[in-house]
Amino acid sequence: MSTHRLTAPAPGWTAATDVVVVGSGVAGLTVALNVRKAGLRAMVVTKAVLDEGSTRWAQGGVAAALGEGDTPEQHLDDTLVAGAGVCDEEAVRTLVTEGPDAVRRLIATGALFDRGEDGEVLLTREGGHHRRRIVHAGGDATGAEISRALVAAVRTDPGIELIEHALVLDLLTDAAGHAAGLTLHVMGEGQRDGVGAVRARAVVLATGGMGQVFSATTNPAVSTGDGVALALRAGAAVTDLEFVQFHPTVLWLGPEAEGQQPLVSEAVRGEGAHLVDADGVRFMVGQHELAELAPRDIVAKAITRRMQEQGAEHMFLDGRHFGAEMWEHRFPTILAFCRANGIDPVTEPIPIAPAAHFASGGVRTDRHGRTSVPGLYACGEVACTGVHGANRLASNSLLEGLVFAERIAADLAGLDAAGDLPERAVDVAAARAAQPVPLPPSEARAEIQRLMSRGAGILRSAASMADTAAGLALLAEQARSHVAEEKPADPRVETWEAANLLLVATALVTAAAQREETRGCHWREDFPERDDAHWRRHLITTLAATGGPVSTPEEQ
Ligand SMILES: Cc1cc2nc3c(=O)[nH]c(=O)nc-3n(C[C@H](O)[C@H](O)[C@H](O)COP(=O)(O)OP(=O)(O)OC[C@H]3O[C@@H](n4cnc5c(N)ncnc54)[C@H](O)[C@@H]3O)c2cc1C
């Protein structure tokens, strides 16, 4: 039987399913496959094509205690250390104990990981891990292989409906406030864009990260924080937004470079490459027992500090001692994009600088992926399960997507079996007609990114964030006044994304300004110390009645 695949639904289109999953990365596709195994119908809606998201860009791999002598307990310890005191230990325990089998099931689904001559899966090391426990594929093309395998699996399942080119806008709820579906903006080729809707018994957000709120990021263009914005507008709690991980080693392409930048994976340091300054000094030695393999926040801060001290725009990653053969076999993707940008890692050190990489926070969930809105689930980078704390341990995010996707499907199956997943009544026509937010013009995106990178990026202070917040407030005010003057921006993908970026950026700055300490990847210049007495807790962000985000510290 062939897959029911609808690539360009017409405006006004309405459909129904059991579980609608938003996003087609590792999290979304794993939810869909497992929901199907439970006998429920699934629909995956994605705003570009199926493999367009962070998943296919992942290089390093997936962490799991699969090696000889390694244990989930050791993986737990490393994760808690990286998380800087605010991980949810039970969530981490779930991740590391269910992780190895989740990886084995991914292999059974068809993902081909690199193997040694003995046929065993090869394991590498990355920053913060005290063991070799990272499985990888195609050398440094792990995400592409996972994406390929999962896309192939959903395409051959006739019970999974796949909708591409449909940007999900907002949640539909029934009279009791239970999730009942979604509104979406459909982009038909050769057709007019317009608003459609999907009715469903449960909704799973798997929309990935929000790296595009910053000017330089490793995230693709689709990572605009749409799921967090949707959840906020739906009344759900989000948390830990201030903990944005900046990847220490992103290829430096010049001072004017913007948008998605190529990542030089931590695995390159795992295999022995050195971080050096322009004089060839290995500045990580003596700063941390793991030197170049210290947790990411420590490495990113050390690089930034060195850049400031020396007035340099970048540092270098030196892997010349690997030799050509190792570069070609172990890191073919990185080698290719470096060479495409005029740098040959075989003969010269690679210029690198930190860039926004991973959102440790997101829509708050329990260990079943449930958010604070009944029937609304979140999974993958959009979610905050509590496993990352203040800083994600390398290669734990693909694993989180796998493990918690399976748990969401199990929860939905249990609800269905108990009769707790009935059809929901909802006024689709009214929801489709509603205009949920004032839309800024599409050019607002670049301005949001500039404001965020300048004032709320790797270096933050009360003063820098106040400037950023004022700039964001002005953009929001301009969008509102265009609506009042009956000159609203056109509802297009670009303007919806700008609206979501504006809301998510404002929420992030609200939380980051409130956390008056330095912890994990949140680095305050005006509060350089970690303050366990006041801040060993989470900030919960919601939308106030006035429409703006408010962050409240959780009880200690
Ligand atoms: C360069 C790079 C390297 C990385 N390397 C690693 C690594 O080695 N190991 C590791 O564990 N992690 C790594 N990560 C992080 C990891 O890849 C991501 O956290 C993970 O893939 C996120 O998966 P996801 O399914 O949550 O989201 P994504 O894979 O980002 O998918 C999100 C999906 O949601 C869709 N979407 C978004 N908004 C909407 C909307 N409004 N309507 C409809 N669809 C929408 C997108 O189009 C996309 O399909 C890396 C990330 C990057 C960017």
Side-chain angles (χ1 to χ4, degrees):
M1 234 191 294
S2 70
T3 306
H4 182 131
R5 181 153 172 257
L6 196 58
T7 49
W13 171 83
T14 303
T17 187
D18 292 331
V19 178
V20 61
V21 180
V22 191
S24 50
V26 62
L29 297 185
T30 307
V31 171
L33 288 168
N34 283 281
V35 156
R36 281 292 299 140
K37 282 185 201 151
L40 291 159
R41 288 175 305 157
M43 179 188 288
V44 176
V45 181
T46 197
K47 70 178 170 182
V49 291
L50 282 182
D51 67 351
E52 187 61 58
S54 286
T55 297
R56 87 166 149 100
W57 294 98
Q59 297 176 349
V62 190
L66 292 161
E68 208 181 316
D70 197 5
T71 59
E73 203 61 27
Q74 295 175 59
H75 189 182
L76 178 123
D77 289 344
D78 287 344
T79 303
L80 295 181
V81 169
V86 288
C87 291
D88 175 335
E89 190 166 334
E90 279 317 300
V92 179
R93 199 173 294 285
T94 300
L95 178 82
V96 297
T97 50
E98 297 182 12
D101 279 344
V103 171
R104 289 185 191 105
R105 282 189 285 271
L106 179 62
I107 292 171
T109 303
L112 301 170
F113 289 108
D114 295 336
R115 292 176 186 269
E117 282 170 7
D118 58 359
E120 292 298 314
V121 168
L122 289 173
L123 298 170
T124 190
R125 247 182 100 185
E126 289 192 303
H129 291 274
H130 283 83
R131 289 258 179 197
R132 285 190 164 258
R133 64 165 72 97
I134 320 290
V135 298
H136 47 86
D140 56 2
T142 308
E145 173 55 17
I146 292 175
S147 188
R148 182 207 62 74
L150 292 174
V151 167
V154 292
R155 280 208 165 124
T156 52
D157 187 329
I160 301 178
E161 204 166 352
L162 303 170
I163 310 293
E164 295 179 313
H165 304 292
L167 179 140
V168 166
L169 302 174
D170 272 303
L171 188 69
L172 294 171
T173 49
D174 68 6
H178 192 287
L182 296 159
T183 54
L184 34 82
H185 179 92
V186 292
M187 300 156 255
E189 272 167 41
Q191 304 171 18
R192 247 176 2 98
D193 291 0
V195 177
V198 177
R199 291 175 53 239
R201 300 198 280 159
V203 174
V204 182
L205 297 177
T207 51
M210 55 174 80
Q212 289 286 329
V213 295
F214 295 99
S215 300
T217 176
T218 61
N219 291 191
V222 292
S223 302
T224 48
D226 296 6
V228 169
L230 176 154
L232 281 168
R233 288 194 294 265
V238 306
T239 190
D240 289 355
L241 285 185
E242 65 275 32
F243 297 125
V244 178
Q245 187 174 80
F246 288 80
H247 198 287
T249 53
V250 173
L251 183 62
W252 186 80
L253 294 173
E256 304 302 328
E258 278 181 2
Q260 188 180 17
Q261 317 283 313
L263 171 72
V264 184
S265 165
E266 199 142 323
V268 177
R269 277 173 284 137
E271 296 293 347
H274 300 148
L275 276 168
V276 294
D277 63 16
D279 300 323
V281 176
R282 275 185 71 190
F283 54 90
M284 284 309 300
V285 174
Q287 297 215 27
H288 191 278
E289 46 145 352
L290 292 170
E292 278 91 350
L293 288 175
R296 283 188 181 167
D297 60 306
I298 301 198
V299 181
K301 281 177 208 174
I303 293 173
T304 310
R305 216 175 273 135
R306 196 75 166 184
M307 281 163 49
Q308 281 184 335
E309 281 164 13
Q310 302 192 333
E313 288 177 308
H314 59 82
M315 291 285 119
F316 293 94
L317 187 63
D318 192 351
R320 285 176 292 180
H321 50 288
F322 291 175
E325 202 182 313
M326 175 155 164
W327 271 108
E328 276 154 20
H329 288 102
R330 183 66 184 85
F331 302 113
T333 313
I334 298 169
L335 182 67
F337 68 60
C338 282
R339 284 182 170 163
N341 284 287
I343 297 138
D344 188 353
V346 178
T347 57
E348 59 191 324
I350 307 167
I352 53 84
H357 183 52
F358 182 79
S360 295
V363 186
R364 189 171 221 219
T365 71
D366 66 11
R367 279 185 288 133
H368 304 286
R370 296 171 172 175
T371 72
S372 56
V373 172
L376 177 66
Y377 292 74
C379 186
E381 193 167 337
V382 68
C384 184
T385 59
V387 299
H388 305 301
N391 200 11
R392 173 190 66 137
L393 183 66
S395 287
N396 268 357
S397 43
L398 292 168
L399 187 71
E400 182 192 28
L402 291 170
V403 166
F404 288 89
E406 291 183 347
R407 292 178 74 82
I408 288 174
D411 194 63
L412 288 167
L415 291 176
D416 190 43
D420 290 337
L421 207 60
E423 301 237 337
R424 308 274 161 187
V426 60
D427 187 346
V428 171
R432 256 204 331 240
Q435 170 78 9
V437 279
L439 297 176
S442 51
E443 305 82 67
R445 182 181 186 127
E447 179 63 4
I448 295 163
Q449 292 171 334
R450 202 176 52 77
L451 287 164
M452 290 297 286
S453 290
R454 207 170 51 193
I458 197 159
L459 298 171
R460 299 167 175 176
S461 68
S464 75
M465 285 189 284
D467 282 352
T468 295
L472 296 174
L474 187 64
L475 289 173
E477 183 46 44
Q478 284 166 351
R480 277 193 296 273
S481 58
H482 287 147
V483 173
E485 292 159 14
E486 297 188 353
K487 291 187 290 187
D490 273 353
R492 289 183 286 121
V493 172
E494 294 78 11
T495 49
W496 290 116
E497 287 186 342
N500 289 334
L501 284 167
L502 184 54
L503 175 55
V504 168
T506 308
L508 195 161
V509 174
T510 304
Q514 211 163 324
R515 184 174 285 278
E516 294 185 330
E517 64 156 356
T518 287
R519 180 185 297 274
C521 52
H522 171 68
W523 189 14
R524 290 281 301 250
E525 288 183 284
D526 44 354
F527 294 95
E529 303 301 326
R530 174 165 150 175
D531 178 359
D532 278 346
H534 297 100
W535 285 110
R536 195 162 180 180
R537 55 180 167 168
H538 301 277
L539 280 164
I540 313 293
T541 304
T542 50
L543 272 198
T546 52
V550 281
S551 295
T552 315
E554 205 179 30
E555 291 297 313
Q556 246 173 335

mmCIF file of all heavy atoms in Angstrom, residues 488-512:
data_model
loop_
_atom_site.group_PDB
_atom_site.id
_atom_site.type_symbol
_atom_site.label_atom_id
_atom_site.label_comp_id
_atom_site.label_asym_id
_atom_site.label_seq_id
_atom_site.Cartn_x
_atom_site.Cartn_y
_atom_site.Cartn_z
ATOM 1 N N PRO A 488 -1.925 45.777 8.358
ATOM 2 C CA PRO A 488 -1.158 44.658 8.909
ATOM 3 C C PRO A 488 -0.262 44.029 7.855
ATOM 4 O O PRO A 488 -0.536 44.131 6.652
ATOM 5 C CB PRO A 488 -2.245 43.667 9.344
ATOM 6 C CG PRO A 488 -3.400 43.969 8.468
ATOM 7 C CD PRO A 488 -3.336 45.439 8.145
ATOM 8 N N ALA A 489 0.819 43.385 8.332
ATOM 9 C CA ALA A 489 1.685 42.652 7.397
ATOM 10 C C ALA A 489 0.892 41.482 6.825
ATOM 11 O O ALA A 489 -0.011 40.954 7.476
ATOM 12 C CB ALA A 489 2.921 42.151 8.140
ATOM 13 N N ASP A 490 1.236 41.071 5.611
ATOM 14 C CA ASP A 490 0.572 39.920 4.983
ATOM 15 C C ASP A 490 0.826 38.657 5.785
ATOM 16 O O ASP A 490 1.959 38.423 6.197
ATOM 17 C CB ASP A 490 1.193 39.669 3.604
ATOM 18 C CG ASP A 490 0.518 40.487 2.555
ATOM 19 O OD1 ASP A 490 -0.485 41.125 2.883
ATOM 20 O OD2 ASP A 490 1.051 40.486 1.424
ATOM 21 N N PRO A 491 -0.205 37.812 5.992
ATOM 22 C CA PRO A 491 0.077 36.525 6.636
ATOM 23 C C PRO A 491 0.829 35.602 5.669
ATOM 24 O O PRO A 491 0.257 35.080 4.720
ATOM 25 C CB PRO A 491 -1.318 35.975 6.982
ATOM 26 C CG PRO A 491 -2.278 36.771 6.189
ATOM 27 C CD PRO A 491 -1.604 38.002 5.686
ATOM 28 N N ARG A 492 2.112 35.506 5.859
ATOM 29 C CA ARG A 492 2.968 34.637 5.035
ATOM 30 C C ARG A 492 3.864 33.860 5.972
ATOM 31 O O ARG A 492 3.994 34.203 7.149
ATOM 32 C CB ARG A 492 3.850 35.487 4.098
ATOM 33 C CG ARG A 492 3.109 36.165 2.982
ATOM 34 C CD ARG A 492 4.052 36.924 2.071
ATOM 35 N NE ARG A 492 4.552 38.144 2.661
ATOM 36 C CZ ARG A 492 5.842 38.408 2.864
ATOM 37 N NH1 ARG A 492 6.764 37.522 2.537
ATOM 38 N NH2 ARG A 492 6.235 39.544 3.414
ATOM 39 N N VAL A 493 4.559 32.862 5.466
ATOM 40 C CA VAL A 493 5.475 32.084 6.297
ATOM 41 C C VAL A 493 6.451 33.015 7.015
ATOM 42 O O VAL A 493 6.676 32.911 8.218
ATOM 43 C CB VAL A 493 6.262 31.079 5.431
ATOM 44 C CG1 VAL A 493 7.352 30.411 6.236
ATOM 45 C CG2 VAL A 493 5.330 30.061 4.852
ATOM 46 N N GLU A 494 7.014 33.959 6.264
ATOM 47 C CA GLU A 494 8.047 34.839 6.827
ATOM 48 C C GLU A 494 7.489 35.696 7.965
ATOM 49 O O GLU A 494 8.173 35.954 8.946
ATOM 50 C CB GLU A 494 8.606 35.773 5.732
ATOM 51 C CG GLU A 494 9.377 35.071 4.629
ATOM 52 C CD GLU A 494 8.466 34.401 3.602
ATOM 53 O OE1 GLU A 494 7.232 34.646 3.624
ATOM 54 O OE2 GLU A 494 8.990 33.607 2.790
ATOM 55 N N THR A 495 6.233 36.153 7.823
ATOM 56 C CA THR A 495 5.689 37.028 8.863
ATOM 57 C C THR A 495 5.238 36.209 10.079
ATOM 58 O O THR A 495 5.392 36.645 11.214
ATOM 59 C CB THR A 495 4.549 37.913 8.309
ATOM 60 O OG1 THR A 495 3.628 37.082 7.588
ATOM 61 C CG2 THR A 495 5.091 38.980 7.391
ATOM 62 N N TRP A 496 4.705 35.006 9.854
ATOM 63 C CA TRP A 496 4.390 34.138 11.001
ATOM 64 C C TRP A 496 5.664 33.820 11.764
ATOM 65 O O TRP A 496 5.696 33.846 12.996
ATOM 66 C CB TRP A 496 3.750 32.820 10.550
ATOM 67 C CG TRP A 496 2.363 32.926 10.006
ATOM 68 C CD1 TRP A 496 1.957 32.637 8.733
ATOM 69 C CD2 TRP A 496 1.182 33.346 10.708
ATOM 70 N NE1 TRP A 496 0.611 32.856 8.598
ATOM 71 C CE2 TRP A 496 0.115 33.290 9.792
ATOM 72 C CE3 TRP A 496 0.940 33.783 12.006
ATOM 73 C CZ2 TRP A 496 -1.188 33.633 10.146
ATOM 74 C CZ3 TRP A 496 -0.357 34.128 12.363
ATOM 75 C CH2 TRP A 496 -1.402 34.047 11.436
ATOM 76 N N GLU A 497 6.724 33.496 11.029
ATOM 77 C CA GLU A 497 7.987 33.166 11.712
ATOM 78 C C GLU A 497 8.532 34.371 12.476
ATOM 79 O O GLU A 497 9.039 34.236 13.587
ATOM 80 C CB GLU A 497 9.024 32.663 10.702
ATOM 81 C CG GLU A 497 8.718 31.259 10.209
ATOM 82 C CD GLU A 497 9.796 30.674 9.308
ATOM 83 O OE1 GLU A 497 10.624 31.440 8.763
ATOM 84 O OE2 GLU A 497 9.793 29.443 9.127
ATOM 85 N N ALA A 498 8.401 35.552 11.877
ATOM 86 C CA ALA A 498 8.879 36.757 12.576
ATOM 87 C C ALA A 498 8.085 36.971 13.864
ATOM 88 O O ALA A 498 8.646 37.335 14.905
ATOM 89 C CB ALA A 498 8.766 37.971 11.655
ATOM 90 N N ALA A 499 6.774 36.707 13.815
ATOM 91 C CA ALA A 499 5.947 36.864 15.027
ATOM 92 C C ALA A 499 6.393 35.871 16.101
ATOM 93 O O ALA A 499 6.501 36.223 17.287
ATOM 94 C CB ALA A 499 4.477 36.643 14.686
ATOM 95 N N ASN A 500 6.666 34.645 15.690
ATOM 96 C CA ASN A 500 7.110 33.639 16.665
ATOM 97 C C ASN A 500 8.493 33.976 17.228
ATOM 98 O O ASN A 500 8.730 33.865 18.435
ATOM 99 C CB ASN A 500 7.125 32.249 16.021
ATOM 100 C CG ASN A 500 5.718 31.734 15.771
ATOM 101 O OD1 ASN A 500 4.780 32.134 16.470
ATOM 102 N ND2 ASN A 500 5.560 30.861 14.796
ATOM 103 N N LEU A 501 9.398 34.404 16.348
ATOM 104 C CA LEU A 501 10.742 34.784 16.819
ATOM 105 C C LEU A 501 10.658 35.931 17.820
ATOM 106 O O LEU A 501 11.358 35.937 18.834
ATOM 107 C CB LEU A 501 11.620 35.211 15.631
ATOM 108 C CG LEU A 501 12.160 34.086 14.758
ATOM 109 C CD1 LEU A 501 12.743 34.642 13.459
ATOM 110 C CD2 LEU A 501 13.229 33.277 15.499
ATOM 111 N N LEU A 502 9.774 36.881 17.533
ATOM 112 C CA LEU A 502 9.649 38.041 18.428
ATOM 113 C C LEU A 502 9.142 37.608 19.804
ATOM 114 O O LEU A 502 9.676 38.033 20.835
ATOM 115 C CB LEU A 502 8.711 39.067 17.781
ATOM 116 C CG LEU A 502 8.525 40.392 18.501
ATOM 117 C CD1 LEU A 502 9.865 41.066 18.792
ATOM 118 C CD2 LEU A 502 7.654 41.343 17.652
ATOM 119 N N LEU A 503 8.156 36.745 19.826
ATOM 120 C CA LEU A 503 7.618 36.295 21.113
ATOM 121 C C LEU A 503 8.655 35.465 21.879
ATOM 122 O O LEU A 503 8.885 35.668 23.076
ATOM 123 C CB LEU A 503 6.346 35.459 20.881
ATOM 124 C CG LEU A 503 5.735 34.822 22.128
ATOM 125 C CD1 LEU A 503 5.451 35.858 23.206
ATOM 126 C CD2 LEU A 503 4.457 34.064 21.777
ATOM 127 N N VAL A 504 9.306 34.559 21.190
ATOM 128 C CA VAL A 504 10.273 33.678 21.851
ATOM 129 C C VAL A 504 11.488 34.472 22.332
ATOM 130 O O VAL A 504 11.985 34.259 23.448
ATOM 131 C CB VAL A 504 10.686 32.547 20.871
ATOM 132 C CG1 VAL A 504 11.881 31.794 21.375
ATOM 133 C CG2 VAL A 504 9.520 31.592 20.676
ATOM 134 N N ALA A 505 11.948 35.421 21.524
ATOM 135 C CA ALA A 505 13.086 36.259 21.934
ATOM 136 C C ALA A 505 12.716 37.057 23.178
ATOM 137 O O ALA A 505 13.506 37.158 24.126
ATOM 138 C CB ALA A 505 13.480 37.197 20.788
ATOM 139 N N THR A 506 11.513 37.609 23.195
ATOM 140 C CA THR A 506 11.084 38.405 24.347
ATOM 141 C C THR A 506 11.005 37.521 25.597
ATOM 142 O O THR A 506 11.437 37.931 26.685
ATOM 143 C CB THR A 506 9.710 39.060 24.050
ATOM 144 O OG1 THR A 506 9.806 39.757 22.810
ATOM 145 C CG2 THR A 506 9.305 40.026 25.142
ATOM 146 N N ALA A 507 10.490 36.316 25.434
ATOM 147 C CA ALA A 507 10.393 35.396 26.579
ATOM 148 C C ALA A 507 11.793 35.018 27.069
ATOM 149 O O ALA A 507 12.061 34.974 28.279
ATOM 150 C CB ALA A 507 9.606 34.151 26.174
ATOM 151 N N LEU A 508 12.707 34.786 26.125
ATOM 152 C CA LEU A 508 14.078 34.394 26.503
ATOM 153 C C LEU A 508 14.756 35.518 27.295
ATOM 154 O O LEU A 508 15.370 35.281 28.347
ATOM 155 C CB LEU A 508 14.851 34.076 25.219
ATOM 156 C CG LEU A 508 16.169 33.331 25.317
ATOM 157 C CD1 LEU A 508 16.514 32.719 23.965
ATOM 158 C CD2 LEU A 508 17.327 34.144 25.813
ATOM 159 N N VAL A 509 14.622 36.739 26.818
ATOM 160 C CA VAL A 509 15.265 37.870 27.508
ATOM 161 C C VAL A 509 14.614 38.097 28.875
ATOM 162 O O VAL A 509 15.306 38.402 29.853
ATOM 163 C CB VAL A 509 15.186 39.146 26.638
ATOM 164 C CG1 VAL A 509 15.716 40.355 27.392
ATOM 165 C CG2 VAL A 509 15.991 38.946 25.378
ATOM 166 N N THR A 510 13.307 37.912 28.957
ATOM 167 C CA THR A 510 12.610 38.077 30.239
ATOM 168 C C THR A 510 13.208 37.129 31.282
ATOM 169 O O THR A 510 13.507 37.526 32.412
ATOM 170 C CB THR A 510 11.098 37.789 30.056
ATOM 171 O OG1 THR A 510 10.600 38.636 29.042
ATOM 172 C CG2 THR A 510 10.316 38.021 31.346
ATOM 173 N N ALA A 511 13.403 35.878 30.892
ATOM 174 C CA ALA A 511 13.955 34.892 31.832
ATOM 175 C C ALA A 511 15.431 35.184 32.115
ATOM 176 O O ALA A 511 15.865 35.178 33.275
ATOM 177 C CB ALA A 511 13.784 33.481 31.269
ATOM 178 N N ALA A 512 16.201 35.468 31.063
ATOM 179 C CA ALA A 512 17.652 35.652 31.231
ATOM 180 C C ALA A 512 17.962 36.878 32.093
ATOM 181 O O ALA A 512 18.925 36.882 32.859
ATOM 182 C CB ALA A 512 18.328 35.770 29.864
#
